[in-house]
Amino acid sequence: MAALSSRILSVTARRSGLFTSIRCSSKMMADPLEHATGLEKREMLANMAGNDDPYDMKVFKRGPGTKDCPTVVPSAFEARIVGCICEEDSASVAWMWLKQGEPKRCGCGYWFKLEPKKPI
Ligand SMILES: [Zn+2]
């Protein structure tokens, strides 16, 4: 009876995966790049290529901001929301929509222009 119960216990343990988890823990984790797909993978590849801001989310420094030389903002879309900190010490941001082909002037006088960019 004891031999039969130990055999049943052994078979049950093998089927329930108790030994499987021990075997898997000794393996190394796979490279995250191999598991990533779609947009996440393209973002990882852009970071590996040296582009740490593939979505252009960092703050752009304004240029002269005149109508002839507006601050250029890249976008892979037809329009993009842009915020202008009109004065250096300002605590608020003036938000506006920029559309492709339509340079826009902020209330403070600076001009912005959307430039087409290839999506990642
Ligand atoms: Zn402004």
PDB file of all heavy atoms in Angstrom, residues 25-58:
ATOM      1  N   SER A  25      13.533  27.488 -14.070  1.00  0.00           N
ATOM      2  CA  SER A  25      14.200  28.551 -13.319  1.00  0.00           C
ATOM      3  C   SER A  25      15.703  28.562 -13.563  1.00  0.00           C
ATOM      4  O   SER A  25      16.352  29.577 -13.346  1.00  0.00           O
ATOM      5  CB  SER A  25      13.908  28.419 -11.833  1.00  0.00           C
ATOM      6  OG  SER A  25      14.506  27.233 -11.343  1.00  0.00           O
ATOM      7  N   SER A  26      16.258  27.463 -14.024  1.00  0.00           N
ATOM      8  CA  SER A  26      17.695  27.439 -14.260  1.00  0.00           C
ATOM      9  C   SER A  26      18.069  28.073 -15.598  1.00  0.00           C
ATOM     10  O   SER A  26      19.231  28.375 -15.830  1.00  0.00           O
ATOM     11  CB  SER A  26      18.223  26.005 -14.195  1.00  0.00           C
ATOM     12  OG  SER A  26      17.659  25.257 -15.237  1.00  0.00           O
ATOM     13  N   LYS A  27      17.091  28.341 -16.478  1.00  0.00           N
ATOM     14  CA  LYS A  27      17.385  28.941 -17.787  1.00  0.00           C
ATOM     15  C   LYS A  27      17.455  30.458 -17.686  1.00  0.00           C
ATOM     16  O   LYS A  27      16.876  31.065 -16.806  1.00  0.00           O
ATOM     17  CB  LYS A  27      16.307  28.559 -18.797  1.00  0.00           C
ATOM     18  CG  LYS A  27      16.305  27.095 -19.142  1.00  0.00           C
ATOM     19  CD  LYS A  27      15.259  26.810 -20.180  1.00  0.00           C
ATOM     20  CE  LYS A  27      15.269  25.331 -20.532  1.00  0.00           C
ATOM     21  NZ  LYS A  27      14.230  25.007 -21.499  1.00  0.00           N
ATOM     22  N   MET A  28      18.136  31.091 -18.627  1.00  0.00           N
ATOM     23  CA  MET A  28      18.239  32.543 -18.662  1.00  0.00           C
ATOM     24  C   MET A  28      16.971  33.119 -19.294  1.00  0.00           C
ATOM     25  O   MET A  28      16.318  32.466 -20.099  1.00  0.00           O
ATOM     26  CB  MET A  28      19.443  32.954 -19.503  1.00  0.00           C
ATOM     27  CG  MET A  28      20.770  32.517 -18.939  1.00  0.00           C
ATOM     28  SD  MET A  28      21.217  33.446 -17.480  1.00  0.00           S
ATOM     29  CE  MET A  28      21.490  35.036 -18.201  1.00  0.00           C
ATOM     30  N   MET A  29      16.660  34.352 -18.934  1.00  0.00           N
ATOM     31  CA  MET A  29      15.522  35.031 -19.555  1.00  0.00           C
ATOM     32  C   MET A  29      15.891  35.392 -20.987  1.00  0.00           C
ATOM     33  O   MET A  29      17.033  35.744 -21.281  1.00  0.00           O
ATOM     34  CB  MET A  29      15.173  36.308 -18.781  1.00  0.00           C
ATOM     35  CG  MET A  29      14.571  36.054 -17.437  1.00  0.00           C
ATOM     36  SD  MET A  29      12.935  35.341 -17.546  1.00  0.00           S
ATOM     37  CE  MET A  29      12.021  36.705 -18.196  1.00  0.00           C
ATOM     38  N   ALA A  30      14.916  35.330 -21.861  1.00  0.00           N
ATOM     39  CA  ALA A  30      15.162  35.664 -23.267  1.00  0.00           C
ATOM     40  C   ALA A  30      15.334  37.170 -23.425  1.00  0.00           C
ATOM     41  O   ALA A  30      14.928  37.960 -22.573  1.00  0.00           O
ATOM     42  CB  ALA A  30      13.998  35.187 -24.111  1.00  0.00           C
ATOM     43  N   ASP A  31      15.930  37.575 -24.514  1.00  0.00           N
ATOM     44  CA  ASP A  31      16.133  38.988 -24.813  1.00  0.00           C
ATOM     45  C   ASP A  31      14.770  39.659 -25.009  1.00  0.00           C
ATOM     46  O   ASP A  31      13.939  39.151 -25.764  1.00  0.00           O
ATOM     47  CB  ASP A  31      16.963  39.099 -26.089  1.00  0.00           C
ATOM     48  CG  ASP A  31      17.306  40.532 -26.436  1.00  0.00           C
ATOM     49  OD1 ASP A  31      17.146  41.403 -25.569  1.00  0.00           O
ATOM     50  OD2 ASP A  31      17.754  40.751 -27.574  1.00  0.00           O
ATOM     51  N   PRO A  32      14.471  40.797 -24.341  1.00  0.00           N
ATOM     52  CA  PRO A  32      13.170  41.460 -24.498  1.00  0.00           C
ATOM     53  C   PRO A  32      12.881  41.851 -25.943  1.00  0.00           C
ATOM     54  O   PRO A  32      11.731  41.915 -26.352  1.00  0.00           O
ATOM     55  CB  PRO A  32      13.275  42.690 -23.615  1.00  0.00           C
ATOM     56  CG  PRO A  32      14.404  42.453 -22.706  1.00  0.00           C
ATOM     57  CD  PRO A  32      15.320  41.470 -23.359  1.00  0.00           C
ATOM     58  N   LEU A  33      13.923  42.101 -26.719  1.00  0.00           N
ATOM     59  CA  LEU A  33      13.724  42.477 -28.127  1.00  0.00           C
ATOM     60  C   LEU A  33      13.097  41.332 -28.924  1.00  0.00           C
ATOM     61  O   LEU A  33      12.327  41.555 -29.849  1.00  0.00           O
ATOM     62  CB  LEU A  33      15.056  42.891 -28.742  1.00  0.00           C
ATOM     63  CG  LEU A  33      15.005  43.485 -30.145  1.00  0.00           C
ATOM     64  CD1 LEU A  33      14.182  44.764 -30.136  1.00  0.00           C
ATOM     65  CD2 LEU A  33      16.390  43.747 -30.677  1.00  0.00           C
ATOM     66  N   GLU A  34      13.401  40.090 -28.534  1.00  0.00           N
ATOM     67  CA  GLU A  34      12.826  38.945 -29.237  1.00  0.00           C
ATOM     68  C   GLU A  34      11.341  38.797 -28.933  1.00  0.00           C
ATOM     69  O   GLU A  34      10.590  38.294 -29.757  1.00  0.00           O
ATOM     70  CB  GLU A  34      13.557  37.665 -28.838  1.00  0.00           C
ATOM     71  CG  GLU A  34      14.998  37.627 -29.310  1.00  0.00           C
ATOM     72  CD  GLU A  34      15.717  36.391 -28.813  1.00  0.00           C
ATOM     73  OE1 GLU A  34      15.045  35.465 -28.310  1.00  0.00           O
ATOM     74  OE2 GLU A  34      16.947  36.355 -28.927  1.00  0.00           O
ATOM     75  N   HIS A  35      10.912  39.240 -27.757  1.00  0.00           N
ATOM     76  CA  HIS A  35       9.504  39.122 -27.377  1.00  0.00           C
ATOM     77  C   HIS A  35       8.667  40.295 -27.870  1.00  0.00           C
ATOM     78  O   HIS A  35       7.465  40.172 -28.032  1.00  0.00           O
ATOM     79  CB  HIS A  35       9.365  39.015 -25.861  1.00  0.00           C
ATOM     80  CG  HIS A  35       9.768  37.696 -25.324  1.00  0.00           C
ATOM     81  ND1 HIS A  35       8.950  36.612 -25.371  1.00  0.00           N
ATOM     82  CD2 HIS A  35      10.925  37.291 -24.768  1.00  0.00           C
ATOM     83  CE1 HIS A  35       9.581  35.585 -24.847  1.00  0.00           C
ATOM     84  NE2 HIS A  35      10.788  35.960 -24.471  1.00  0.00           N
ATOM     85  N   ALA A  36       9.296  41.438 -28.078  1.00  0.00           N
ATOM     86  CA  ALA A  36       8.558  42.639 -28.466  1.00  0.00           C
ATOM     87  C   ALA A  36       8.084  42.519 -29.912  1.00  0.00           C
ATOM     88  O   ALA A  36       8.751  41.918 -30.758  1.00  0.00           O
ATOM     89  CB  ALA A  36       9.438  43.869 -28.305  1.00  0.00           C
ATOM     90  N   THR A  37       6.923  43.107 -30.168  1.00  0.00           N
ATOM     91  CA  THR A  37       6.389  43.136 -31.530  1.00  0.00           C
ATOM     92  C   THR A  37       5.835  44.532 -31.810  1.00  0.00           C
ATOM     93  O   THR A  37       5.631  45.325 -30.902  1.00  0.00           O
ATOM     94  CB  THR A  37       5.247  42.122 -31.723  1.00  0.00           C
ATOM     95  OG1 THR A  37       4.206  42.441 -30.800  1.00  0.00           O
ATOM     96  CG2 THR A  37       5.720  40.701 -31.530  1.00  0.00           C
ATOM     97  N   GLY A  38       5.598  44.807 -33.068  1.00  0.00           N
ATOM     98  CA  GLY A  38       4.920  46.030 -33.484  1.00  0.00           C
ATOM     99  C   GLY A  38       5.615  47.307 -33.045  1.00  0.00           C
ATOM    100  O   GLY A  38       6.835  47.442 -33.146  1.00  0.00           O
ATOM    101  N   LEU A  39       4.813  48.225 -32.522  1.00  0.00           N
ATOM    102  CA  LEU A  39       5.312  49.549 -32.148  1.00  0.00           C
ATOM    103  C   LEU A  39       6.376  49.478 -31.062  1.00  0.00           C
ATOM    104  O   LEU A  39       7.357  50.223 -31.083  1.00  0.00           O
ATOM    105  CB  LEU A  39       4.135  50.411 -31.693  1.00  0.00           C
ATOM    106  CG  LEU A  39       4.364  51.899 -31.580  1.00  0.00           C
ATOM    107  CD1 LEU A  39       4.846  52.465 -32.897  1.00  0.00           C
ATOM    108  CD2 LEU A  39       3.104  52.594 -31.138  1.00  0.00           C
ATOM    109  N   GLU A  40       6.180  48.567 -30.099  1.00  0.00           N
ATOM    110  CA  GLU A  40       7.158  48.432 -29.023  1.00  0.00           C
ATOM    111  C   GLU A  40       8.520  48.019 -29.579  1.00  0.00           C
ATOM    112  O   GLU A  40       9.554  48.539 -29.172  1.00  0.00           O
ATOM    113  CB  GLU A  40       6.672  47.403 -28.006  1.00  0.00           C
ATOM    114  CG  GLU A  40       7.611  47.238 -26.830  1.00  0.00           C
ATOM    115  CD  GLU A  40       7.180  46.139 -25.883  1.00  0.00           C
ATOM    116  OE1 GLU A  40       6.286  45.352 -26.242  1.00  0.00           O
ATOM    117  OE2 GLU A  40       7.755  46.062 -24.793  1.00  0.00           O
ATOM    118  N   LYS A  41       8.523  47.100 -30.535  1.00  0.00           N
ATOM    119  CA  LYS A  41       9.782  46.641 -31.122  1.00  0.00           C
ATOM    120  C   LYS A  41      10.449  47.762 -31.924  1.00  0.00           C
ATOM    121  O   LYS A  41      11.662  47.964 -31.839  1.00  0.00           O
ATOM    122  CB  LYS A  41       9.538  45.424 -32.022  1.00  0.00           C
ATOM    123  CG  LYS A  41      10.832  44.837 -32.544  1.00  0.00           C
ATOM    124  CD  LYS A  41      10.627  43.454 -33.058  1.00  0.00           C
ATOM    125  CE  LYS A  41      11.967  42.805 -33.331  1.00  0.00           C
ATOM    126  NZ  LYS A  41      11.884  41.378 -33.432  1.00  0.00           N
ATOM    127  N   ARG A  42       9.646  48.513 -32.692  1.00  0.00           N
ATOM    128  CA  ARG A  42      10.218  49.623 -33.466  1.00  0.00           C
ATOM    129  C   ARG A  42      10.801  50.691 -32.537  1.00  0.00           C
ATOM    130  O   ARG A  42      11.809  51.310 -32.841  1.00  0.00           O
ATOM    131  CB  ARG A  42       9.170  50.218 -34.394  1.00  0.00           C
ATOM    132  CG  ARG A  42       8.928  49.308 -35.605  1.00  0.00           C
ATOM    133  CD  ARG A  42       7.931  49.882 -36.521  1.00  0.00           C
ATOM    134  NE  ARG A  42       6.622  49.412 -36.049  1.00  0.00           N
ATOM    135  CZ  ARG A  42       5.464  49.920 -36.407  1.00  0.00           C
ATOM    136  NH1 ARG A  42       5.429  50.906 -37.248  1.00  0.00           N
ATOM    137  NH2 ARG A  42       4.346  49.435 -35.945  1.00  0.00           N
ATOM    138  N   GLU A  43      10.137  50.916 -31.388  1.00  0.00           N
ATOM    139  CA  GLU A  43      10.657  51.871 -30.416  1.00  0.00           C
ATOM    140  C   GLU A  43      11.986  51.370 -29.845  1.00  0.00           C
ATOM    141  O   GLU A  43      12.935  52.148 -29.689  1.00  0.00           O
ATOM    142  CB  GLU A  43       9.644  52.064 -29.293  1.00  0.00           C
ATOM    143  CG  GLU A  43      10.055  53.095 -28.274  1.00  0.00           C
ATOM    144  CD  GLU A  43       9.014  53.257 -27.175  1.00  0.00           C
ATOM    145  OE1 GLU A  43       7.896  52.744 -27.312  1.00  0.00           O
ATOM    146  OE2 GLU A  43       9.347  53.895 -26.166  1.00  0.00           O
ATOM    147  N   MET A  44      12.074  50.076 -29.527  1.00  0.00           N
ATOM    148  CA  MET A  44      13.319  49.508 -29.003  1.00  0.00           C
ATOM    149  C   MET A  44      14.435  49.598 -30.035  1.00  0.00           C
ATOM    150  O   MET A  44      15.575  49.921 -29.701  1.00  0.00           O
ATOM    151  CB  MET A  44      13.110  48.051 -28.596  1.00  0.00           C
ATOM    152  CG  MET A  44      12.239  47.881 -27.386  1.00  0.00           C
ATOM    153  SD  MET A  44      11.880  46.150 -27.129  1.00  0.00           S
ATOM    154  CE  MET A  44      12.578  45.927 -25.516  1.00  0.00           C
ATOM    155  N   LEU A  45      14.112  49.342 -31.302  1.00  0.00           N
ATOM    156  CA  LEU A  45      15.122  49.425 -32.360  1.00  0.00           C
ATOM    157  C   LEU A  45      15.599  50.860 -32.549  1.00  0.00           C
ATOM    158  O   LEU A  45      16.786  51.105 -32.785  1.00  0.00           O
ATOM    159  CB  LEU A  45      14.567  48.863 -33.668  1.00  0.00           C
ATOM    160  CG  LEU A  45      14.337  47.348 -33.687  1.00  0.00           C
ATOM    161  CD1 LEU A  45      13.602  46.921 -34.948  1.00  0.00           C
ATOM    162  CD2 LEU A  45      15.653  46.607 -33.561  1.00  0.00           C
ATOM    163  N   ALA A  46      14.674  51.828 -32.437  1.00  0.00           N
ATOM    164  CA  ALA A  46      15.063  53.238 -32.555  1.00  0.00           C
ATOM    165  C   ALA A  46      15.981  53.635 -31.409  1.00  0.00           C
ATOM    166  O   ALA A  46      16.962  54.346 -31.614  1.00  0.00           O
ATOM    167  CB  ALA A  46      13.819  54.129 -32.577  1.00  0.00           C
ATOM    168  N   ASN A  47      15.684  53.148 -30.201  1.00  0.00           N
ATOM    169  CA  ASN A  47      16.552  53.437 -29.060  1.00  0.00           C
ATOM    170  C   ASN A  47      17.927  52.826 -29.256  1.00  0.00           C
ATOM    171  O   ASN A  47      18.940  53.447 -28.924  1.00  0.00           O
ATOM    172  CB  ASN A  47      15.928  52.923 -27.766  1.00  0.00           C
ATOM    173  CG  ASN A  47      14.787  53.788 -27.290  1.00  0.00           C
ATOM    174  OD1 ASN A  47      14.736  54.970 -27.594  1.00  0.00           O
ATOM    175  ND2 ASN A  47      13.859  53.199 -26.563  1.00  0.00           N
ATOM    176  N   MET A  48      17.978  51.606 -29.802  1.00  0.00           N
ATOM    177  CA  MET A  48      19.270  50.953 -30.039  1.00  0.00           C
ATOM    178  C   MET A  48      20.062  51.694 -31.113  1.00  0.00           C
ATOM    179  O   MET A  48      21.294  51.701 -31.096  1.00  0.00           O
ATOM    180  CB  MET A  48      19.054  49.494 -30.463  1.00  0.00           C
ATOM    181  CG  MET A  48      18.588  48.610 -29.330  1.00  0.00           C
ATOM    182  SD  MET A  48      18.135  46.954 -29.866  1.00  0.00           S
ATOM    183  CE  MET A  48      19.705  46.364 -30.450  1.00  0.00           C
ATOM    184  N   ALA A  49      19.358  52.332 -32.053  1.00  0.00           N
ATOM    185  CA  ALA A  49      20.027  53.083 -33.119  1.00  0.00           C
ATOM    186  C   ALA A  49      20.502  54.453 -32.642  1.00  0.00           C
ATOM    187  O   ALA A  49      21.116  55.192 -33.405  1.00  0.00           O
ATOM    188  CB  ALA A  49      19.092  53.239 -34.308  1.00  0.00           C
ATOM    189  N   GLY A  50      20.190  54.806 -31.392  1.00  0.00           N
ATOM    190  CA  GLY A  50      20.669  56.064 -30.836  1.00  0.00           C
ATOM    191  C   GLY A  50      19.615  57.150 -30.736  1.00  0.00           C
ATOM    192  O   GLY A  50      19.908  58.250 -30.293  1.00  0.00           O
ATOM    193  N   ASN A  51      18.377  56.857 -31.148  1.00  0.00           N
ATOM    194  CA  ASN A  51      17.302  57.842 -31.058  1.00  0.00           C
ATOM    195  C   ASN A  51      16.558  57.632 -29.737  1.00  0.00           C
ATOM    196  O   ASN A  51      15.737  56.739 -29.623  1.00  0.00           O
ATOM    197  CB  ASN A  51      16.343  57.679 -32.248  1.00  0.00           C
ATOM    198  CG  ASN A  51      15.271  58.730 -32.260  1.00  0.00           C
ATOM    199  OD1 ASN A  51      15.231  59.603 -31.403  1.00  0.00           O
ATOM    200  ND2 ASN A  51      14.390  58.638 -33.246  1.00  0.00           N
ATOM    201  N   ASP A  52      16.861  58.463 -28.746  1.00  0.00           N
ATOM    202  CA  ASP A  52      16.218  58.287 -27.441  1.00  0.00           C
ATOM    203  C   ASP A  52      14.873  59.006 -27.337  1.00  0.00           C
ATOM    204  O   ASP A  52      14.213  58.948 -26.309  1.00  0.00           O
ATOM    205  CB  ASP A  52      17.151  58.740 -26.317  1.00  0.00           C
ATOM    206  CG  ASP A  52      17.459  60.233 -26.382  1.00  0.00           C
ATOM    207  OD1 ASP A  52      17.323  60.808 -27.471  1.00  0.00           O
ATOM    208  OD2 ASP A  52      17.837  60.805 -25.351  1.00  0.00           O
ATOM    209  N   ASP A  53      14.452  59.667 -28.404  1.00  0.00           N
ATOM    210  CA  ASP A  53      13.163  60.366 -28.414  1.00  0.00           C
ATOM    211  C   ASP A  53      12.443  60.097 -29.747  1.00  0.00           C
ATOM    212  O   ASP A  53      12.258  61.004 -30.555  1.00  0.00           O
ATOM    213  CB  ASP A  53      13.398  61.871 -28.222  1.00  0.00           C
ATOM    214  CG  ASP A  53      12.120  62.649 -28.042  1.00  0.00           C
ATOM    215  OD1 ASP A  53      11.109  62.059 -27.632  1.00  0.00           O
ATOM    216  OD2 ASP A  53      12.127  63.857 -28.340  1.00  0.00           O
ATOM    217  N   PRO A  54      12.039  58.847 -30.002  1.00  0.00           N
ATOM    218  CA  PRO A  54      11.460  58.527 -31.316  1.00  0.00           C
ATOM    219  C   PRO A  54      10.114  59.214 -31.574  1.00  0.00           C
ATOM    220  O   PRO A  54       9.714  59.354 -32.722  1.00  0.00           O
ATOM    221  CB  PRO A  54      11.307  57.005 -31.274  1.00  0.00           C
ATOM    222  CG  PRO A  54      11.320  56.633 -29.846  1.00  0.00           C
ATOM    223  CD  PRO A  54      12.128  57.669 -29.141  1.00  0.00           C
ATOM    224  N   TYR A  55       9.412  59.648 -30.529  1.00  0.00           N
ATOM    225  CA  TYR A  55       8.109  60.302 -30.715  1.00  0.00           C
ATOM    226  C   TYR A  55       8.210  61.823 -30.621  1.00  0.00           C
ATOM    227  O   TYR A  55       7.191  62.504 -30.580  1.00  0.00           O
ATOM    228  CB  TYR A  55       7.114  59.782 -29.669  1.00  0.00           C
ATOM    229  CG  TYR A  55       6.912  58.302 -29.762  1.00  0.00           C
ATOM    230  CD1 TYR A  55       7.396  57.464 -28.766  1.00  0.00           C
ATOM    231  CD2 TYR A  55       6.275  57.723 -30.841  1.00  0.00           C
ATOM    232  CE1 TYR A  55       7.229  56.101 -28.849  1.00  0.00           C
ATOM    233  CE2 TYR A  55       6.102  56.367 -30.936  1.00  0.00           C
ATOM    234  CZ  TYR A  55       6.580  55.560 -29.935  1.00  0.00           C
ATOM    235  OH  TYR A  55       6.423  54.207 -30.013  1.00  0.00           O
ATOM    236  N   ASP A  56       9.415  62.365 -30.532  1.00  0.00           N
ATOM    237  CA  ASP A  56       9.634  63.811 -30.440  1.00  0.00           C
ATOM    238  C   ASP A  56       8.822  64.432 -29.309  1.00  0.00           C
ATOM    239  O   ASP A  56       8.087  65.396 -29.492  1.00  0.00           O
ATOM    240  CB  ASP A  56       9.298  64.492 -31.774  1.00  0.00           C
ATOM    241  CG  ASP A  56      10.199  64.021 -32.888  1.00  0.00           C
ATOM    242  OD1 ASP A  56      11.409  63.926 -32.658  1.00  0.00           O
ATOM    243  OD2 ASP A  56       9.689  63.736 -33.990  1.00  0.00           O
ATOM    244  N   MET A  57       8.965  63.848 -28.134  1.00  0.00           N
ATOM    245  CA  MET A  57       8.228  64.332 -26.970  1.00  0.00           C
ATOM    246  C   MET A  57       9.029  65.334 -26.140  1.00  0.00           C
ATOM    247  O   MET A  57       8.490  65.953 -25.226  1.00  0.00           O
ATOM    248  CB  MET A  57       7.822  63.147 -26.072  1.00  0.00           C
ATOM    249  CG  MET A  57       6.908  62.153 -26.760  1.00  0.00           C
ATOM    250  SD  MET A  57       5.310  62.830 -27.204  1.00  0.00           S
ATOM    251  CE  MET A  57       4.550  62.967 -25.613  1.00  0.00           C
ATOM    252  N   LYS A  58      10.308  65.479 -26.443  1.00  0.00           N
ATOM    253  CA  LYS A  58      11.125  66.420 -25.673  1.00  0.00           C
ATOM    254  C   LYS A  58      10.744  67.858 -26.019  1.00  0.00           C
ATOM    255  O   LYS A  58      10.135  68.122 -27.054  1.00  0.00           O
ATOM    256  CB  LYS A  58      12.606  66.194 -25.983  1.00  0.00           C
ATOM    257  CG  LYS A  58      13.143  64.924 -25.362  1.00  0.00           C
ATOM    258  CD  LYS A  58      14.625  64.816 -25.569  1.00  0.00           C
ATOM    259  CE  LYS A  58      15.150  63.571 -24.885  1.00  0.00           C
ATOM    260  NZ  LYS A  58      16.572  63.362 -25.131  1.00  0.00           N
TER     261      LYS A  58
END
